[in-house]
Amino acid sequence: MAENYYYGSRGGSYHQPESGWGRGTGGARGYSQARGDPDTGRGGRGRGRGGGRGRGRGGGGGPPAGLRGRDIGLYYAQRQKESQRESRSVLALPSGEQGAWQDVLRRVSALAPTRPAMEGGHQFVDAWHQNIAANRRADRISTQPVNSGLTPQPELDESLQRQENERDPFSVMGLFREKLPAFAMRDELLLLIRRHPVVVISGETGCGKTTQVPQFLLEDALLNGRASTTRIVCTQPRRISAISIAERVAQERHERLGQSVGYQIRLESRLPRERGSILYCTTGVVLQWLRSDPNLTGVSHIVLDEIHERDLQSDFLITVLKDILPRRADLKVILMSATLNAELFSRYFRNCPMLNIPGFTFPVTEYYLEDVLEMTGFRIPSQSRKASDKPEPVWHKHTKRGKETARASDAFQDYVTPYIRHLESQGHYSRSTLDSLRLPESEEINHELIATLIHHIHAHEKSGAVLVFVPGWDDISKVNRLLTDDGPYRLRGRVKIFPLHSLMPTINQKEIFSRPPEGVRKIVIATNIAETSITIDDVVFVVDCGKIKMTNYDPKSNLATLKPEWVAEANARQRRGRAGRVQPGICYHLFTKSRAMTLDKFVQPEMLRTKLEELVLQIKSLGFGKVAPFLSKVMEPPEDLTIERALTMLRTINALDEEEQLTALGFHLSKLPMDPQTGKMVLLAAIFGCVDPILSVAASLTFKDAFMIPLGKEKLADEKRRQLSRGTKSDHLLLANAIQEWEKARSNGSNRDFCWEFFLSESVLRMLVNMKQQFADYLCEQKFLPSSNYKAKSCNRNSSNEALVRAIVCAGLYPNVASLKMKRRGPVRIPSLMTVTERRVSIHPKSVNASESDFKHPWMVYHVMMKGNSVLVHDCTEISPMSLIFFGESLKLKNEFLSDGTALESIQVDPFVTFNCSRETADLFKSLRAHWDKLLEMKIIKPDQTDWDTNRFEGAVIDSIIRLLSSSPIGDSVYDDDE
Ligand code: ADP
Ligand code: MG
C-alpha cells in the first residue's frame, strides 16, 4: 500500500550518506514548498520527495566551474551535509489541523498555573531536600560513634542459652559438622573475630565457610548469653544460594526455617527471629537497609560471602562498610572467599588478619583437550560452523575489533600452534587428534564433543556424579538435548540429568544435592554457579569447557558486549576442585594445556566491566556525595570515563541536575528497584493511566522475560512470539501481552496449557507478577496511583491505547533510539538500524521485528544493545516521531540555510534526532512540551493521582499529548536503502 508507493517513488531519490545522521527520507524541499501552506504537510511531503530527488546524487551536475583542488572536496562535503539535512524525517500535523491545535495550545496556556505549586512541608519534598543536604555535606566519614541498636535483653539471653544447652551434641548432623575442616579452626576463628573488627577467611569450597562460620558465631553468642545483642547477616551473590544454604543450616540445627535461621531475597523471605539469629540474604537486601539504617545498627555481624566473585554489589557494600566501620566500633565484618586472593581484601582493610581454612580435597587428575580427543576418538569437523553462521569477517588490525580478534588468533599462533608441533614430535597423539587441534575451531565450544565425553565417562569410568561447566543457558539446553533426544548422542542406561542455572525454578534444585539410587549416574550441566556457591557432594568427574559468559562494557563506544570468554586460572582451579570432594576425581578441561598457560589469574571485577547508572543513583540516594570521589575509594575503582558516561545519561533523563544532585525525578527513580530508565517508564505509566501493560514491561526488563528457549523448537517459538505480539512491531508490547494473556488464562485455569503453547515459564511469570505488585505498591504509597491494584480500572484508563503505551515505552527506553531502514538482502528486505554511535546495527533473530518488513515509522527504541560478532539490539519497539517530541531530551528549533539560499526549518530532540518541521508546527510542539515539562515537575514533586478533568491544566495537558500521540501526526515512512 502506501509503503509500496513511497518505495517506488523514491527508488533513486536518496543516496545513503556514508556517515552522519542521514535517515528516513523526505524532502526538505518538500517542506519548503509546503511552507506556503502549513496545514498541508502531507502534500508538501509528496512533492518534496520529487524535489529531493532533484538534489540527490544525479541532480545539479558537478561543482561550479572555477572550483579546484580542495574546494571541490569541500563543495561535495557541503552537498552531502545538505542532502543529509534534507533527507531527515519530516514532521507535520495532519492536513487542516494546525489551527485546531493552536486553539488547544491557547486553552492549555490559559489554564497553566502561574506559580509552581511546590512548597515545603510535603513529606516527599522534605525527604528529597534532606537527601540533597546529605549529599552536600558529603562528610559522611564522620567518626561520631554510633552504637548497635540491639540493646541487651537478659531474659531472652537466658532462655535461648538454656535452649542451646539442651541440644544433642551427638546428633548425626553434629557429627557431620565436626568432620568439616572449618570445625578444627572454630576457636581460633572466634578469637580472631572477637579481637578484630574485620577478618578475611579463605578456604577451599566445601570446607564449611558458608554453613559453619555464621553458625559458630551464633552458637557462641547463644551459649554465652549474648543472644539478644547478636544478629548475624550473611550475604550471598545469588538468590538461589541464599535459600538453599539457609535451608541446609536450619536442617543442621534441627530446626525449621524461621526460628534461628532464615533468608531474605527480593520478594521472598522466611525471616528468622530478630535477635540471636542468622539471616542469609542477597547483597542487594543489605544495600536496601542502608537507606533507613545507614550505619547498619540492626546488625552485629555482617558476613560477606563469595567476595572473590567481585560482583558489583558486593564490591560496593565492601566500600560502604569501610566507611561505616570507624563509627561502629562494635560491628564485626567477616569477609569470606574461596580462592586465594585474600591478600587483596586484607590490604584494603588496613592489613586486617586473614585466616585460611586448610581444606581436604582428594587428588584430581587433569586431562586437557588433547587427551580428551585421544581417549574419545572425537574428530573436530573443520567446518563445525553451521551454514547459517556467517564466517567471521576479516578485521583490520588497527580497529579495536580487529585488535581483539587479532589478539585471540595471536595467542593461538604463539602458544597453541608451537605446542601442537611439540606434541607431534613426541608422537604420543594420533594424527586425527593433531589434525583436530590445529583447527582454530578446536577452541570453540563443541556440544557434540561434550556429549561424547559424557558417554565416554559413563561407559568407562567408575561410579560418581558428573558435573559439566558450560557458559550459558543455550549450551545447557543444547547438551541436554543431545543427551536426551533420539539421535547418535542419546545417553541410554541409568542416568539422571539435571540442568542447573541461576534462573531455574527453585523447586527443581533440591534433588540435585541428593545422591541418586545405587547404579544411577547423576549428570549436572551447569554454568559457573556450580563453581563455588553450590556444592554437590558426590561429584567425581568434572567437564570444564573453559569458557564463561562475560558481559563487558566499553565506555568509549558506550557499548556492552556479551560473549563467552576464556575462564580465569582461578575458575579453572575451582572447577577442578569440584571433582575431589569425596574421593580422588578426574577433571577434563576442553582446552589445550598450552591455552591453560595463557589464562588470566582472576576475572576482572564487575565494577570495571559494566555501566554504572544504577550504582550512581544508589550512591546519590544513600547520600554519599559526589560520585567520582566516592568511587575512587572502591578497591579497584572504575574508569573516569565510565563514571562520566553514567552521569551524562542520568542528566539526559533528568535524574541528576548540573550540580550532580538528584532531581525530584531522580530521587523517585533511586527508590524504585530497577534501572533508572525503566523507573521513569513506570512513573509515566502511572501518570498516563496505562499501568498494567507498562508494569509488565518493566518487570520483564528488570528480571527477565518469561520466554523459554524451547528444545529444538526455536522456529515454532519465534512464530508463537510473533503471534502474541499481535502485529505491534514491539518486543516490549509482546512482554505485556504475554503476561496479560497468562493472567487471563490463570483465571480460567488454562494457564498451564497457555504456557506450554507459547513456551513460557510459569515460575518466571509468577515472579514477574509479584514484581508488578511491588512496583504498584510503591506507586500507590507515593500517591501516584489511586490503588495498589494494578488491574484496577482507575489505573488503566488508557491501557488499551496502543499509541500511548508505545510512547511510554519510548519514554522509558530513551535515549536508546535507533533509526530504521530496510536493506535488501537477496529477494528479502530486512530491517537495519543506526544509532548515535553505531552505523550498522542488526536486530537479534529472537526479536519479533527481525524478519518484519512493514514498518510505519523509521524509529525504534531498544533496551539492550550488545556487541558479539556484530552489533545487535536484542529487543526493540517501533515508535512514532511524536513520542520523541514529548519524551526525548528537549526541543530546540533550528533554522539552517542551504547553499542555494533555501531555508530549512527543523526541530531537534537531541544531536541524533532531528526532524524537518515548519516553524509554526515546531513552535506549537515546543510550547506544549514546555507545559508537559512543567506538569511533570509538579507531579513528581507533589505526587498525586492524575486529574483527568480537561478543564484544568493537568487534564488538558495530558489529554492533548494523548490525542497528539494517537492521532499520529505525519512522520515519515520507512524506506529501503539504495544499494
Ligand atoms: P563452603 O562455603 O566452604 O564452600 P559450605 O559451608 O557451603 O562450604 O558447605 C560445607 C559442607 O556442607 C559441604 O562440603 C557439604 O558437604 C555440606 N553441604 C552444604 N550445603 C549442603 C546441602 N544443601 N545439602 C547437603 N550438604 C550440604
Ligand atoms: Mg560457600
Side-chain angles (χ1 to χ4, degrees), residues 176 180 203-213 244-245 247-248 251-252 305-306 336 338 357 360 513 532-533 535 537 578 581:
F176 169 84
L180 289 173
E204 284 286 340
T205 306
C207 71
K209 295 180 301 298
T210 310
T211 53
Q212 306 306 308
V213 172
S244 79
I245 287 157
E247 275 170 355
R248 169 70 186 178
Q251 199 188 347
E252 287 187 10
D305 203 2
E306 314 276 6
M336 303 204 296
I357 303 175
F360 61 66
F513 297 105
T532 56
S533 52
T535 301
D537 258 336
R578 311 314 273 158
R581 310 225 351 102

Side-chain angles (χ1 to χ4, degrees), residues 494-741:
R494 307 187 63 201
V495 288
K496 189 118 184 62
I497 302 173
F498 295 93
L500 176 62
H501 189 271
S502 63
L503 294 174
M504 276 182 39
T506 335
I507 5 155
N508 297 349
Q509 311 285 339
K510 280 177 210 144
E511 237 189 308
I512 296 176
F513 297 105
S514 52
R515 260 168 211 269
E518 193 60 35
V520 175
R521 194 187 291 275
K522 178 163 79 178
I523 296 167
V524 181
I525 312 168
T527 59
N528 60 331
I529 186 170
E531 247 172 47
T532 56
S533 52
I534 284 182
T535 301
I536 302 157
D537 258 336
D538 49 341
V539 172
V540 180
F541 307 97
V542 165
V543 177
D544 165 24
C545 76
K547 299 258 171 116
I548 197 168
K549 245 205 191 133
M550 273 285 206
T551 46
N552 256 307
Y553 169 68
D554 172 21
K556 281 193 204 76
S557 62
N558 203 14
L559 255 189
T561 55
L562 175 69
K563 32 183 188 192
E565 288 176 20
W566 290 111
V567 294
E569 206 185 300
N571 305 98
R573 185 158 16 108
Q574 191 62 34
R575 292 176 173 195
R576 178 190 67 199
R578 311 314 273 158
R581 310 225 351 102
V582 283
Q583 63 184 80
I586 303 178
C587 177
Y588 305 86
H589 300 289
L590 297 183
F591 45 89
T592 59
K593 204 163 180 178
S594 51
R595 174 54 71 181
M597 290 184 298
T598 71
L599 298 180
D600 291 336
K601 260 181 114 58
F602 299 102
V603 286
Q604 259 212 330
E606 189 184 3
M607 185 93 74
L608 306 182
R609 293 189 281 111
T610 177
K611 288 189 176 205
L612 298 174
E613 280 86 4
E614 251 181 293
L615 182 69
V616 166
L617 217 49
Q618 212 165 14
I619 292 170
K620 296 311 292 188
S621 78
L622 292 172
F624 289 129
K626 288 267 193 246
V627 172
F630 179 84
L631 284 177
S632 70
K633 292 189 265 181
V634 175
M635 205 156 26
E636 287 171 77
E639 266 185 61
D640 291 343
L641 184 57
T642 312
I643 301 173
E644 200 37 61
R645 288 270 187 201
L647 291 171
T648 306
M649 204 294 266
L650 290 169
R651 276 187 215 115
T652 307
I653 63 163
N654 188 29
L656 286 180
D657 65 15
E658 288 308 314
E659 281 175 49
E660 208 193 275
Q661 288 285 6
L662 285 177
T663 60
L665 175 64
F667 192 53
H668 276 296
L669 297 181
S670 74
K671 290 183 182 175
L672 282 164
M674 56 187 86
D675 73 57
Q677 284 162 282
T678 313
K680 191 168 177 182
M681 177 156 50
V682 163
L683 291 182
L684 291 182
I687 294 174
F688 280 90
C690 49
V691 172
D692 186 35
I694 292 292
L695 290 193
S696 293
V697 177
S700 306
L701 294 183
T702 304
F703 185 47
K704 61 170 281 195
D705 72 50
F707 289 98
M708 293 189 294
I709 298 153
L711 310 176
K713 293 188 186 149
E714 289 85 352
K715 278 253 147 57
L716 181 59
D718 288 349
E719 191 40 53
K720 287 288 171 189
R721 269 202 309 276
R722 226 185 327 273
Q723 191 182 326
L724 258 186
S725 77
R726 300 189 202 128
T728 53
K729 318 251 164 38
S730 165
D731 293 302
H732 305 105
L733 298 188
L734 160 70
L735 300 169
N737 292 350
I739 296 180
Q740 185 192 37
E741 291 297 322

